[in-house]
Amino acid sequence: MNLFLRRALCGMALIVAAIGTAGCQHESQAEQEEVRTVSYRAVMQSDKPVPEKVNTWLGAMSQEDKIGQLMMISLHGSTVGQSQKDVIRKYRVSGVMLTNENLNNKNQVKAFTNDIMQTASTASMVTPYIAINRDKVLRSNESFLRLPEPNRWGQLPMERIINLATRSAIEMHDMGFNLVIGPNANLGVPNVSYTSDPTWAGHMDLAMAERYQINKVWFGYNYFPTVSLGDASFETANDAKAYLNTTDVAVFKRLITQTTANTYMLVMSHVQIPAIDNAHLASASKAIITDWLRHELGYNGVVMTDRVDVGALQANQKIGDFAVDSIVAGSDLVLLDADTVHIDEVHRALTQAVANGTITNDRLNDAVKHILLMKMQTQMQQ
């Protein structure tokens, strides 16, 4: 009898264990299915309005993914090898800015941009920006449409500007770029500006922007609020703003009001305007980015810095500290060079700043939300 009971009890234990194991497996499979359902691709392909898609994905993102969205990096080389793929995956970056080092010929560039996109896709990352500053492409590179020097654009008739901008936008899209840094909204700066006339600058920039939009390429107006003040000096912040509101900022105000939201970003310069903020460059100034650009001028899109290694050098700061200051001030995206030491330092600094509350969860989510609102405009990704 005892033997019978022991065997019966053992049998019941095995049954309970099997049921428990099956239950755990079922729960695990259900959880996995839920994770697979709440995927970036599924969210993008849903019929929900863009803001709802953004909120859904923002809620599903890990902190690691959010921090990665704050970084636009560059890469060394003319091919995307294992080391470059590792950098993209490790830091889960928001995008890659190609430089002349990466540009040999059209087929090579197509392979390069395609490999970036495939690397991000296989790592279940948000669609990356694949960017280029078109004005900085060497004119000796015969693989690209030869465009005028910046200061020559303003001398062309509008018909010619539209023709060149259209051809360039088509070329960029065909080569796999989804973001072009430009047009330039600054006035009277040698080798940078198109013109000194704010009205004509606005006409040109809006015409170029329309060509990018038609050809489904995002773009970035640069550089806010100005590149240089020249000999101008001001007693008060209001004096500085009044002056710039008649020059570069007059162009930016027009572009902000007349360009479709979330199809473009603004790029911050590293100029310092002591009358507005005597402690920070514009690219790390809350008074300029949050208070002036966002609150006074009403811009609510993506703000990206110019290269933070350059800004850190000008500000006499560590590159990681400068990047953190920029995000705290209201930037959403910091631009880095291809130095992996810099990339790692900035990533560690941003991670630490989020952990200790220097970058608050609200500021982090706000920055990522700006980026997602731009990236999830599906009409720009077809």
Side-chain angles (χ1 to χ4, degrees):
M1 185 67 177
N2 289 339
L3 179 62
F4 175 78
L5 286 173
R6 283 200 300 271
R7 287 178 177 175
L9 289 171
C10 287
M12 290 175 64
L14 287 172
I15 292 171
V16 169
I19 293 172
T21 301
C24 290
Q25 289 176 345
H26 177 73
E27 182 179 357
S28 175
Q29 290 171 357
E31 289 173 350
Q32 291 173 5
E33 185 62 32
E34 182 177 358
V35 170
R36 285 196 293 268
T37 300
V38 185
S39 67
Y40 183 73
R41 179 177 295 180
V43 173
M44 284 297 297
Q45 292 176 345
S46 75
D47 294 329
K48 296 178 180 178
V50 170
E52 196 171 330
K53 292 181 182 181
V54 168
N55 288 334
T56 298
W57 188 245
L58 189 65
M61 292 177 77
S62 67
Q63 184 169 287
E64 179 186 10
D65 277 316
K66 290 179 182 179
I67 292 169
Q69 283 302 300
L70 308 181
M71 300 171 60
M72 172 90 80
I73 68 170
S74 295
L75 297 171
H76 285 307
S78 57
T79 59
V80 180
Q82 190 59 49
S83 61
Q84 289 91 340
K85 291 177 181 178
D86 288 344
V87 170
I88 294 170
R89 290 172 179 148
K90 178 179 179 179
Y91 300 106
R92 306 189 70 76
V93 296
S94 194
V96 177
M97 176 78 71
L98 273 67
T99 65
N100 285 300
E101 177 185 355
N102 311 128
L103 310 175
N104 290 346
N105 58 69
K106 287 188 176 181
N107 287 335
Q108 170 266 326
V109 173
K110 284 182 181 180
F112 198 98
T113 59
N114 182 67
D115 285 346
I116 293 170
M117 191 64 74
Q118 289 301 313
T119 299
S121 178
T122 56
S124 301
M125 293 166 56
V126 174
T127 300
Y129 292 121
I130 303 180
I132 187 169
N133 188 326
R134 190 60 182 83
D135 284 341
K136 293 186 177 180
V137 174
L138 295 176
R139 282 158 184 80
S140 59
N141 191 330
E142 297 181 355
S143 297
F144 288 78
L145 172 68
R146 179 163 293 193
L147 296 178
E149 296 283 351
N151 61 351
R152 296 280 298 171
W153 274 104
Q155 302 172 28
L156 300 176
M158 181 56 74
E159 182 180 355
R160 178 64 173 158
I161 291 170
I162 290 174
N163 176 271
L164 287 171
T166 300
R167 292 165 61 193
S168 180
I170 292 171
E171 180 180 65
M172 293 299 95
H173 185 272
D174 182 57
M175 295 173 80
F177 294 102
N178 58 21
L179 172 63
V180 173
I181 302 304
N184 189 285
N186 302 123
L187 303 174
V189 181
N191 303 316
V192 173
S193 302
Y194 303 153
T195 179
S196 296
D197 180 350
T199 302
W200 184 229
H203 286 334
M204 286 193 300
D205 287 355
L206 288 169
M208 292 179 183
E210 184 179 23
R211 301 306 110 184
Y212 291 132
Q213 290 171 330
I214 289 171
N215 289 285
K216 306 187 187 307
V217 177
W218 295 305
F219 52 97
Y221 292 126
N222 48 15
Y223 297 95
F224 186 87
T226 185
V227 173
S228 172
L229 291 172
D231 296 328
S233 62
F234 312 97
E235 292 293 326
T236 69
N238 286 339
D239 290 341
K241 292 177 183 179
Y243 170 79
L244 287 167
N245 279 333
T246 66
T247 56
D248 296 45
V249 175
V251 183
F252 281 105
K253 289 169 73 172
R254 181 179 175 188
L255 299 177
I256 290 168
T257 58
Q258 296 185 25
T259 307
T260 303
N262 300 318
T263 63
Y264 71 101
M265 61 177 62
L266 293 186
V267 183
M268 297 299 301
S269 76
H270 295 313
V271 71
Q272 186 167 17
I273 309 175
I276 299 177
D277 188 338
N278 64 5
H280 302 95
L281 305 182
S283 48
S285 170
K286 181 177 182 294
I288 291 176
I289 301 172
T290 297
D291 299 342
W292 189 14
L293 176 59
R294 294 204 186 277
H295 294 167
E296 292 184 34
L297 302 184
Y299 177 68
N300 199 35
V302 176
V303 172
M304 183 174 79
T305 68
D306 203 356
R307 275 178 41 179
V308 289
D309 58 311
V310 176
L313 186 63
Q314 288 181 227
N316 195 29
Q317 285 184 276
K318 293 180 179 179
I319 187 172
D321 293 340
F322 185 83
V324 169
D325 284 353
S326 183
I327 297 298
V328 170
S331 294
D332 306 307
L333 190 57
V334 295
L335 176 61
L336 292 116
D337 62 335
D339 189 331
T340 52
V341 173
H342 287 170
I343 294 170
D344 187 67
E345 183 178 343
V346 167
H347 184 267
R348 283 188 288 106
L350 292 173
T351 301
Q352 180 62 35
V354 170
N356 65 27
T358 301
I359 298 175
T360 64
N361 284 330
D362 285 347
R363 175 78 272 270
L364 176 63
N365 288 335
D366 193 46
V368 175
K369 190 170 185 177
H370 289 152
I371 293 166
L372 292 180
L373 281 168
M374 187 173 175
K375 288 186 173 184
M376 288 189 165
Q377 299 295 323
T378 52
Q379 70 271 23
M380 297 292 288
Q381 299 191 45
Q382 295 171 352

